[in-house]
Structure formats: structure tokens, C-alpha cells
């Protein structure tokens, strides 16, 4: 290799001569180089050197390869392609001049448009060198300074001093020796200036990636070797979806588009645009426009844009002007084509690439506006019906519709496309027409009027997800629905949805009465979410139109058609008719062929036929029974046994219609209402036995047997009704059925069954009551009590008490004292009182029997000491509350109300024997002894005064006085034994141990 093959000495002489002649040229060159090094090229080292390598490969027509080797403090960049030439050296040493101006065009893909890109090396090195197969050249800050100093030019020396010794590096080339690495044609050697330069190189190499290869199509491979490892960049296009376009401006376009561009740019009338979309969404994008190397123009689109935009002098921003405007339009057209390709290959991806939201900058805004001007006419959205791509201008979406509903609508809504929630902004940006869901639904009644129920069923099935949204349900409010009778109505709310168990002919029958039942084939769960009601037999029977049909069946053209429809429903599940009392108005044929309400029919041979008056009921036609079955007929009120009616939330002052046919129900309500007032009184649930007034007089033994054995009837009879008054206090009262039997059922003697002595009544009580018929013994005690038989005093009502008191005062009755004492205890606890007190009462008599005296000749002895006062009259004996009750019941005064009970004299105080107090600790410690004890002038053996002090005249009296004063009347016999038999002390103490 000959010395100075590139003529570097001549270049240095010319440059130095120029600087000497005009030091201002030195200043201009130094400033220009510094601007490049510190401004436009400060972090473009890797990009600019890779660009030079790509251009060299393109010029040589070989695959471009470049090696970045960074070890120690030196970066070596080797590449294949055209080696360094003298023109190239001159270009490197001549700022703003390019050796590539005549060698590039749009087809080559070369992007180097300035000969000054090599200035990027000044960001990291003051001693760059280029070694090639044709020779080498180096640059040196120190050697340049030395050459200037050797000139001895005062003017240049002054300029150098003003710049603190900083001189241009790339203006003076020096010859260099060396070879590029094997396999490469050229190498740039950069000894790094300092640690900061090393850090910058590390960062720039780490940032290098696919965008660098895409920007430089002349490069097929980039190798990066550092002390941390080796990395290879190649085959970038396999990782990106790419669309390229390029062109050459004609003469007119050159005149208009390039007029404001530098001369060198005007000589290159080529442009290129590349959009690249990462196949892997996780790939990081630079977020800036590349022209075609990175600028600082922000890009908000999720792609790479590499285009030959004109740059301003800093090479960091796109220059404004007609050329940029034209390239923006070309880029928009290319972007639209990329989206068309992606839309053709995938579903939905293109919409994710439509610009929405805010722009990131001026250029970004221009790109977005241009793109959105092109996209509406580009087929990038897919039709639901056949999957063909449509232009957004020709497309339509139905607001709120999902994929399933769209598939049903597609044949009748031209241009329908899907509209996912995340695509809304994109579709709006594209100007896709929107139809309101309610509008489309409203039109369905016209455009789909002739569709089959199966078609409508498929449509409803497609709404499964949409009907869960409350807002969408409102829009679907007028959705057409086919009915069982063939009509098509708008809106599902209130329609009945038949189950498979409901016959179609039954549904059609009810439609004549206004029952709107959905055609069974069209039934779908979505209709229920839209307000339709599942039409179980129950819900259909509850429909007001069905009730009207039943209640007016006598006026129908064909009453039997109505009964057939109703009974067909009921027969599917007779329990569904429970509580629908008005079904008993259904007209059915009786055995004589007459139409009779179901509640006046009985099953032939049944208990109901046996016990009910045949003037009131008739047997049902056996053919009807055979056709629909006993359970169905019983459910609508035909009686096989006695029936019940149940009503909830009953107000006693406004009895519900269901109960109005019960005999004397108003009287029952008055009788059981708190304080005799029905207003404000309620019953939570009332179950009553119906048709009690139709029972034959001689059938009651059988009827009561039935009522006691059939659970529903038994509950309706024996269970008390809970009445809640206006003050919210509950009161238990007899059931309607029990009340009616007590009030209305008469036996053969013309007297009521109620109030008679129960077969198991107390003998004394039974003696005062009429005997119940022998057949009542077969009834269980609860039933007997419910119908009014009296087993104990507490079962008596006011009338019964009057009767008992009347018969108790009958002097012909012989009643032992023991029976009367037990009876008094029961009478004293009664809560009821007769209207009038008896004129005569029975009192204790002589020899263990009782006698009758006038009421004003009797007193109630509520304490045993009053029984010594025969002067007060005949005694009615009771204690405590029972004594007060008897006093009120008999209107007889208590003994202490007619006598003062004052002790005459004081007596002598004495201590109560210790043994008595030990056995009965409650007795007082003192008592008062009297030789003769009188009270109110009447001699008695013992008394307890108002202060509770015991007084006595005998040992027996003392025992009673101590026991009563100590409230231990039950211990009086023990006390008397101690007082009368002191020698039994040990025996009594022993016995007391076990008390």
C-alpha cells in the first residue's frame, strides 16, 4: 500500500491555506463541526455508522454486514461493501458535502442524504480512524492543533485561544496504516475520549434493534460484541408486519415540493415510506418518527414509521413544508393499506390500529388526520353476514348488540358489523353509522313479521347476554313476540311463557279471553328477563283473563270449552290451583247433564254426597270425572269430602271476596273481634270449612268423624285463629268452623251440641250440664273441645257458666262438701262472667253436705279463721285469687268486707315453744294467750290480727294461729302434735330431717 493514497497532504494544505488566508473560515468550520458533534449527532453514532455501512453495501451490490466490537476503551465498527476512496476521504473532511449525492435512488433503499453523518464520531472520540482495503485515514485533534500552531498565523492563534484550544477534528485528514478485520471491507476505529463516552457507546449499542435493520434495508446482519456478550440482529422482517411504498417525483412535483429544500436534496426526487407492525405485541416501540433514522417527532400509533421526511438542520425534527405534507399523505395511504392487509388476515386487529385519542405532536396530528381521511374508504371492517371486508362508509353497527344478536340481525340489516366495547372509539373515528338498538327492535315487527316461531326463538336465544344489562333491556322493551294464537305483539312484559306441559289447544282457547301466551316454539329464557312470566299452570290460572273467563263462563258461547281449558291446566298439577277459590265458579255438567258451578257438585258415592243436602249439591257427570280425574275436580271445588277455603292477610272489617260465601262469616268476625270492634283487626291466615250450612241435620255424627280424621279439615276446625287488634296485641279465638258448629248445630232435642258435658268431664261439672250424645265418645278430645263440649270448668263460655250457676243453686241437687270445694276452686279461676249474678248460691252445710241460700246470706271465706264466724252467714270457701274470683262471679262479699274482725281484749304474750320454731322457722316468736277469745263479740278458738299476731284460747287453736301467721298452713298438724304431745319431740325432729 503506497503512502498517502488518498492525498491527505493536499487536503491539509488547502484547508490550512484557507484558514491562514481567512481565519474566519477556521471559526466557521469549528462552529459547524461543534454544532454537529454537540447537536444533531450527539447520540447518533451507531445509527450513522450503520447507515454508512448500508450505503457501502448497496453501492457494492453485496449483502450488508456490520460489526460493532466494543472492548476496553475502543469501539471498532467494521462493514462490508465499497471500500474507502479518495472522494470518500474528501467527503469526510468536507462539512456539508456528500460523496453519495449521485449514487442513490428510491429503489436502492439508501437513506444517506448528507456527507456529514461521520461527524457523529466526535461525540465519543478525538482520534477517529477509517481503515479500508484501499488504504486508511485518521483524524486527530492534537495533530490538527499542532499543524495550526506550525503555521505561525497570529490570526489563527487568536481564534484557537478564543476557543480554549478547541479545533475542528475532521477537517484535516492524516494518512493511516492498518487493515479492517477479516471478512470486512472497511473499519472505523474510535479510541473513546473518556468514561462518559464509553457509557454513551454502551447505551447506544444496547438500544440497537430491529428498527435499525428496518430503517436500513441495505443491511442484512448486525453483530454487536461487547465484554458482556455477543448479539446478532438479522431477519427483522420475520418479526414485523410490513408495508412499503416508494416513488419518484415528476418534474412538476419537484418544482412544487422541493423548492424550499437544499440543492443536494433537490437533486434526489425520491421518497419511501415503511410502516412496520410488531407481530409480538410485547416488542417495545421507539414512539418516534424515523426519517428514516430516529427523530424527536413523537408518534402515537402502535407501529414503526420510517419515511424520507425532510429534516431541519438539527436532523432531529421534520421540516415543515409541502414535501412533508405530501409524505404525510403518502404515509396515510400506506397505513390504510397496512390495515387492509391486517383486516384481511385477522379479525378485529385493524380496528385496534385506528388512531383515537389525543395526538402526541404536530406531525403526529397531521398523520392521524390524514389517516382518518383515508380509512373510511378502505375495506377494513368485516361484515357479520358473510365475513366480507367492508368500507367503514358502508358499514353500520347496532348500538348495544352483541355477536350473537348480530348474527341473527345480519340478513336483515345491510352492512352490519360487530361492535365490541373496546372498538367504539375507533368505529366513531371511522364514521361508522350507528343504529339505536330500540330503533332496530322496533323495526323487527315489520321486517320480520312473517318469520316463523323457530326464527324468533333463535333471535331470543341470541339475546342471552344482552338481557342481563338493565339499559339494554329497556331498549328491548318493544321486541316483537309471536303468540300461541298466531298474533305478533310488541313487548314481552306481562306475556305468559308456557311450559312443555301446557297443551297448545288450551293456550289457544284462553287467547280468546285476552290471555297473551307466547307460542311454545318461541319460548326462551331471555323473554323472562324481559318481563314475561313463566306460565306454569298456576301463573296461567292466576291471570285475570282466565278468572274472567271462569266467572263469566255461563255467558260464553261454549262454556264447556272454558271448563275443558281450565281442567286441562289443573290436571297437569292439581296443587297449582290451591287458593284460587274462584275456580269453584267453573261450570261443569252434573249427572243430569245440567251445567252447575263446581262448588255445587260432589263426587258420586263420596262422603260429600252422603252428608250434604241434595237440594244444594248434585253429583258430577261421571264422564267429566273420568276425563279429568278426581284430583283435578277436587282442585276446582268439586267435593269428595268437605272442602276448605284459605285466605291470607284478612281484615275483619273488609272480608275478602273468597270468604263472602261462608255462612255467617260476618257474625263470626264481630264475635271474635277484640272488644267487639272489627275495625283494625286482622288475621294473618284464615282457613275455613265451607258449606257447613249445607250439611244434613242427621249427618253431624259422620261429619264430625270426618273433620277429626282428615288433616286439613281437622286443622281448620281445632286450630285457634290469631286475631291482632289495632293495638297489635294478639288474641287466640275459635276458628270459624268451630264457632259455626257451636252456634248453629242443634241436636234432635232442638238444643245446641255445644255446652254439653264432654264424655270425660268431671263428675260434678257433668251433673250441672246436659249430656252429650253417645256418639261423641268416638271423637278425639280436641274435636270435642272445638265443637263446644265441656270437659272442665275452663271450657265453659259465659252462657255455660250461667247455666252451671243456675243448676248449682238448684236445691234439689245433693252435693257433698268435698265435691263443692273442688268445684269452687275451678270456678274461682274463670276469666268470663255471666251477664247476671245468681240470686241463690250453694254454701257449706252440715254433716258433710251443702245447702242453698240466698246470695245476700252468704260470704266468701278467704281465710280459715272466718269459718269460726257462723254469724256471718253461709260460707263459700276459697283462698287467694280464687276467693276474689268467686266473690265477683257470685256477687257475694268476702268475709272481711262484712265483719271488722277485731279481737276483744289483749291477751297475754307468751313465747312460742323452741321446738315449734325449730320445726317451723316461719312462725312468730310470740303469741297471745286468751282464757276466752272473742272477735267482734263472737267466741272463736284462734285468730290472727291485722298485724299478723297469733291469738289462741286452745292448743288446737294455737296450732292453727301459728301456722296461718307463719304462712305455713300446711304445717298446722305438725305444730299441733308438738304442742299436744311433747314426748314425741325426738320422733318429730327425726322426721323433720327428711322434709
Amino acid at each position: 500500500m503506497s503512502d498517502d493514497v488518498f492525498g491527505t497532504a493536499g487536503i491539509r494544505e488547502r484547508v490550512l491555506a484557507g484558514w491562514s488566508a481567512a481565519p474566519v473560515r477556521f471559526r466557521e468550520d469549528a462552529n459547524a463541526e461543534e454544532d454537529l458533534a454537540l447537536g444533531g449527532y450527539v447520540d447518533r453514532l451507531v445509527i450513522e455508522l450503520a447507515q454508512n455501512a448500508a450505503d457501502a453495501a448497496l453501492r457494492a451490490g453485496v449483502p450488508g454486514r456490520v460489526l460493532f466490537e466494543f472492548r476496553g476503551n475502543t469501539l471498532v465498527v467494521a462493514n462490508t461493501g465499497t471500500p474507502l476512496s479518495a472522494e470518500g476521504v474528501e467527503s469526510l473532511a468536507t462539512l456539508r458535502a456528500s460523496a453519495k449525492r449521485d449514487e442513490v435512488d428510491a429503489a436502492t433503499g439508501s437513506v444517506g442524504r448528507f456527507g456529514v453523518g461521520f461527524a457523529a464520531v466526535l461525540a465519543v472520540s478525538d482520534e477517529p480512524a477509517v481503515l479500508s482495503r484501499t488504504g486508511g485515514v485518521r483524524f486527530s485533534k492534537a495533530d490538527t492543533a499542532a499543524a495550526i500552531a506550525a503555521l505561525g498565523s497570529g490570526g489563527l492563534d487568536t481564534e484557537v485561544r478564543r476557543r480554549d484550544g478547541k479545533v475542528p477534528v475532521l477537517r484535516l485528514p492524516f494518512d493511516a496504516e492498518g487493515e479492517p478485520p477479516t471478512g470486512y471491507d472497511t473499519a472505523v476505529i474510535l479510541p473513546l475520549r473518556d468514561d462518559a463516552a464509553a457509557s454513551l457507546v454502551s447505551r447506544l449499542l444496547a438500544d440497537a434493534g430491529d428498527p435499525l435493520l428496518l430503517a436500513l434495508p441495505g443491511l442484512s446482519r448486525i453483530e454487536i460484541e461487547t465484554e458482556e456478550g455477543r448479539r446478532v440482529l438479522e431477519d427483522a422482517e420475520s418479526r414485523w408486519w410490513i408495508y412499503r411504498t416508494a416513488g419518484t417525483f415528476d418534474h412538476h412535483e419537484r418544482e412544487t415540493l422541493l423548492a424550499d429544500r437544499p440543492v443536494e436534496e433537490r437533486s434526489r426526487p425520491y421518497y419511501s415510506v415503511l410502516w412496520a407492525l410488531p407481530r409480538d405485541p410485547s416488542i417495545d416501540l421507539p414512539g418516534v418518527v424515523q426519517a428514516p433514522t430516529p427523530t424527536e417527532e413523537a408518534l402515537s400509533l402502535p407501529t414503526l414509521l420510517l419515511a424520507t421526511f425532510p429534516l431541519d438542520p438539527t436532523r432531529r425534527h421534520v421540516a415543515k413544508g409541502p414535501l412533508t405534507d405530501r409524505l404525510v399523505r403518502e404515509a396515510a395511504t400506506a397505513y390504510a393499506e397496512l390495515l387492509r392487509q391486517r383486516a384481511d388476515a385477522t379479525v378485529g386487529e385493524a380496528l385496534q390500529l385506528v388512531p383515537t385519542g389525543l395526538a402526541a405532536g404536530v406531525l403526529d396530528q397531521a398523520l392521524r388526520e390524514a389517516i382518518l381521511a383515508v380509512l373510511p374508504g378502505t375495506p377494513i371492517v368485516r361484515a357479520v353476514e358473510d365475513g366480507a371486508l367492508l368500507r367503514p362508509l358502508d358499514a353500520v353497527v347496532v348500538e348495544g348488540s352483541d355477536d350473537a344478536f348480530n348474527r341473527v340481525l345480519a340478513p336483515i340489516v345491510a352492512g352490519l358489523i360487530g361492535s365490541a366495547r373496546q372498538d367504539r372509539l375507533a368505529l366513531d373515528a371511522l364514521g361508522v353509522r350507528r343504529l339505536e338498538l330500540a330503533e332496530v327492535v322496533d323495526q323487527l315487527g315489520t321486517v320480520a313479521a312473517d318469520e316463523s316461531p323457530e326464527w324468533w326463538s333463535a333471535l331470543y336465544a341470541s339475546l342471552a347476554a344482552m338481557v342481563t344489562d338493565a339499559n339494554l333491556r329497556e331498549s328491548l322493551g318493544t321486541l316483537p313476540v309471536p303468540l300461541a294464537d298466531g298474533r305478533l305483539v310488541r313487548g314481552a312484559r306481562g306475556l305468559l311463557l308456557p311450559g312443555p306441559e301446557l297443551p297448545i289447544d288450551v293456550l289457544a282457547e284462553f287467547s280468546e279471553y285476552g290471555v297473551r301466551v307466547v307460542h311454545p316454539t318461541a319460548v326462551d329464557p331471555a323473554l323472562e328477563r324481559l318481563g314475561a312470566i313463566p306460565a306454569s299452570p298456576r301463573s296461567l290460572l292466576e291471570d285475570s283473563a282466565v278468572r274472567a273467563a271462569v266467572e263469566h263462563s255461563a255467558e260464553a258461547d261454549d262454556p264447556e270449552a272454558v271448563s275443558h281449558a281450565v281442567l286441562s291446566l289443573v290436571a297437569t298439577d292439581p296443587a297449582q290451583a290451591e287458593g284460587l277459590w274462584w275456580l269453584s265458579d267453573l261450570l261443569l255438567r252434573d249427572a243430569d247433564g245440567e251445567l252447575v258451578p263446581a262448588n255445587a257438585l260432589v263426587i258420586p258415592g263420596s262422603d260429600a254426597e252422603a252428608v250434604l243436602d241434595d237440594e244444594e249439591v248434585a253429583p258430577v257427570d261421571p264422564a267429566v270425572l273420568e276425563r279429568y280425574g278426581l284430583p283435578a275436580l277436587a282442585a276446582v271445588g268439586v267435593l269428595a269430602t268437605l272442602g276448605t277455603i284459605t285466605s291470607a292477610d284478612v281484615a275483619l272489617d273488609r272480608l275478602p271476596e273468597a270468604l263472602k260465601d261462608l255462612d255467617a262469616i260476618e257474625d263470626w268476625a264481630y264475635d271474635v273481634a277484640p272488644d267487639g270492634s272489627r275495625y283494625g283487626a286482622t288475621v294473618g291466615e284464615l282457613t275455613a270449612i265451607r258449606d257447613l250450612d249445607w250439611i244434613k241435620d242427621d249427618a253431624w255424627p259422620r261429619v264430625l268423624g270426618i273433620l277429626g280424621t282428615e288433616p286439613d279439615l281437622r286443622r281448620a276446625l281445632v286450630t285457634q285463629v290469631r286475631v291482632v287488634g289495632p293495638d297489635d296485641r294478639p288474641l287466640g279465638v275459635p276458628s270459624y268452623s268451630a264457632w259455626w258448629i257451636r252456634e248453629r248445630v242443634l241436636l234432635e232435642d232442638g238444643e245446641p251440641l255445644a255446652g254439653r258435658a264432654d264424655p270425660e268431664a268431671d263428675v260434678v261439672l257433668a251433673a250441672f250440664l246436659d249430656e252429650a250424645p253417645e256418639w261423641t265418645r268416638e271423637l278425639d278430645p280436641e274435636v270435642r273441645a272445638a265443637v263446644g263440649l265441656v270437659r272442665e270448668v275452663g271450657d265453659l263460655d259465659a252462657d255455660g257458666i250461667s247455666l252451671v250457676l243456675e243448676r248449682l243453686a238448684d236445691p234439689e241437687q245433693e252435693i257433698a262438701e268435698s265435691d263443692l270445694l273442688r268445684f269452687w276452686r275451678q270456678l274461682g279461676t274463670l276469666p268470663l262472667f255471666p251477664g247476671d249474678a245468681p240470686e241463690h248460691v250453694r254454701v257449706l252445710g252440715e254433716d258433710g253436705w251443702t245447702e242453698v241460700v240466698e246470695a245476700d246470706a252468704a260470704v266468701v271465706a278467704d281465710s280459715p279463721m272466718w269459718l269460726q264466724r257462723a254469724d256471718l252467714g253461709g260460707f263459700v270457701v276459697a283462698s287467694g285469687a280464687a276467693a276474689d274470683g268467686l266473690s265477683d262471679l257470685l256477687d257475694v262479699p268476702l268475709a272481711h268486707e262484712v265483719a271488722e274482725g277485731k279481737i276483744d281484749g289483749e291477751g297475754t304474750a307468751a313465747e312460742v315453744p323452741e321446738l315449734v320454731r325449730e320445726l317451723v322457722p316461719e312462725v312468730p316468736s310470740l303469741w297471745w294467750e286468751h282464757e276466752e277469745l272473742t272477735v267482734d263479740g263472737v267466741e272463736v278458738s284462734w285468730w290472727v290480727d291485722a298485724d299478723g299476731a297469733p291469738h289462741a284460747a286452745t292448743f288446737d287453736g294455737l296450732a292453727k294461729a301459728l301456722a296461718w301467721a307463719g304462712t305455713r298452713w300446711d304445717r298446722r298438724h305438725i305444730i299441733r302434735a308438738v304442742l299436744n304431745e311433747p314426748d314425741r319431740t325426738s320422733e318429730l325432729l327425726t322426721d323433720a330431717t327428711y322434709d
Side-chain angles (χ1 to χ4, degrees), residues 352-390:
Q352 300 174 21
L353 303 175
V354 173
T356 58
L358 299 176
V362 175
L363 181 60
D364 188 53
Q365 178 67 30
L367 285 167
R368 291 157 66 97
E369 291 175 355
I371 290 170
L372 290 176
V374 176
L375 284 180
T378 305
I380 60 172
V381 292
R382 197 172 296 277
V384 174
E385 183 175 13
D386 57 7
L389 288 180
L390 301 176

Side-chain angles (χ1 to χ4, degrees), residues 745-761 765-766 768-776 784-785 787-792 795-797 800 803 807:
V745 175
L746 303 178
L747 299 184
E748 293 179 357
D749 59 4
E751 295 298 325
L753 171 64
R756 295 175 182 260
D758 186 272
E760 297 178 0
L765 176 60
F768 304 132
L769 299 172
D770 293 335
E771 184 179 3
E774 183 63 25
W775 52 264
T776 60
R784 296 200 301 262
V787 300
L789 298 188
V790 180
R791 184 177 183 179
E792 55 188 30
D795 295 334
L796 293 168
D797 57 16
L803 178 64
R807 293 182 176 180

Side-chain angles (χ1 to χ4, degrees), residues 15 70 215 266 308 400 847 992:
V15 172
F70 177 34
R266 291 200 298 272
T308 53
D847 301 326

Side-chain angles (χ1 to χ4, degrees), residues 28 49 74 101 113 316 321 367 425 494 509 523 599 683 689 741 756 789 795 800 806 843 860 881 962 969 990:
E28 291 174 350
L49 295 180
T74 302
R101 63 170 65 96
R113 290 174 290 156
R316 292 181 175 274
L367 285 167
L425 291 177
E509 179 66 34
V523 170
N599 60 11
V683 174
I689 300 172
I741 292 173
R756 295 175 182 260
L789 298 188
D795 295 334
E806 178 184 344
V843 298
V860 176
L962 291 175
W969 186 247
T990 300

Side-chain angles (χ1 to χ4, degrees), residues 422-709:
Q422 65 270 20
D423 295 335
R424 184 181 183 88
L425 291 177
L427 293 174
D428 288 345
L430 294 172
V432 174
R433 186 163 59 99
R434 290 187 176 274
L435 293 178
E436 292 296 328
L437 178 60
E439 177 185 350
V440 174
V441 168
D442 195 53
Q443 293 176 0
L444 283 176
T446 301
V447 299
D450 298 329
E451 296 291 350
S452 67
E454 290 82 2
W455 185 89
W456 287 105
S457 177
L459 182 142
Y460 304 144
S462 73
L463 297 174
M466 294 172 61
V467 294
T468 61
D469 186 308
N471 293 327
L472 295 182
R473 287 201 300 272
E474 184 175 350
S475 298
L476 293 167
T478 60
L479 185 68
V481 182
L483 300 185
D485 61 5
R487 290 180 295 158
L488 186 69
V489 298
R490 295 186 183 276
R493 185 166 299 281
L495 300 182
L496 298 180
L497 297 171
E501 74 278 12
L502 300 179
I504 186 66
D505 61 326
V506 171
L507 303 178
E509 179 66 34
F510 283 132
S511 66
E512 296 183 12
Y513 297 92
V515 179
R516 303 197 306 165
V517 182
V518 177
H519 194 289
T521 308
V523 170
D524 187 86
L527 292 176
E528 185 176 354
R529 295 300 299 266
L530 293 174
I533 303 169
S536 62
R538 175 72 180 195
S539 63
L540 192 54
L541 291 171
E542 286 178 330
D543 191 280
S544 60
V546 174
R547 178 173 178 177
V550 170
E551 293 179 339
H552 297 89
S553 57
E555 305 162 14
D557 294 337
D558 187 0
E560 288 187 285
V562 177
S563 65
H564 167 68
V566 171
L567 286 173
S568 296
L569 282 177
V570 174
T572 62
D573 183 5
Q576 299 287 320
E578 183 178 351
L580 303 181
W581 58 271
W582 45 266
L583 288 175
S584 62
D585 290 334
L586 188 67
L587 292 182
L588 304 175
R589 295 286 179 186
D590 67 6
D592 295 329
E594 298 295 327
L595 287 173
V596 178
N599 60 11
L601 292 171
V602 294
I603 300 299
S606 65
D607 286 338
E609 184 180 33
V611 302
L612 295 178
D613 190 341
D614 54 14
E615 293 293 328
E616 302 290 349
V617 298
V620 71
D621 184 350
V624 174
L625 176 61
E626 181 178 357
R627 182 174 185 180
Y628 301 107
L630 176 59
L633 294 182
V636 299
V638 178
L639 296 175
T641 182
L642 295 178
T644 61
I645 294 176
T646 299
S647 189
D649 300 323
V650 176
L652 294 187
D653 58 339
R654 296 186 305 277
L655 292 172
E657 189 176 357
L659 303 178
K660 289 296 181 66
D661 289 338
L662 293 175
D663 182 58
I665 184 64
E666 297 277 353
D667 295 339
W668 171 81
Y670 274 113
D671 282 359
V672 301
D675 301 323
S677 174
R678 296 193 300 167
Y679 296 101
T682 59
V683 174
E685 183 175 82
L686 176 62
T687 299
I689 300 172
R690 48 172 278 205
D691 306 324
L692 292 174
D693 53 327
W694 289 357
I695 295 175
K696 300 174 184 177
D697 291 339
D698 60 355
W700 280 105
R702 181 171 180 174
V703 168
L704 291 180
I706 294 171
L707 299 186
T709 55

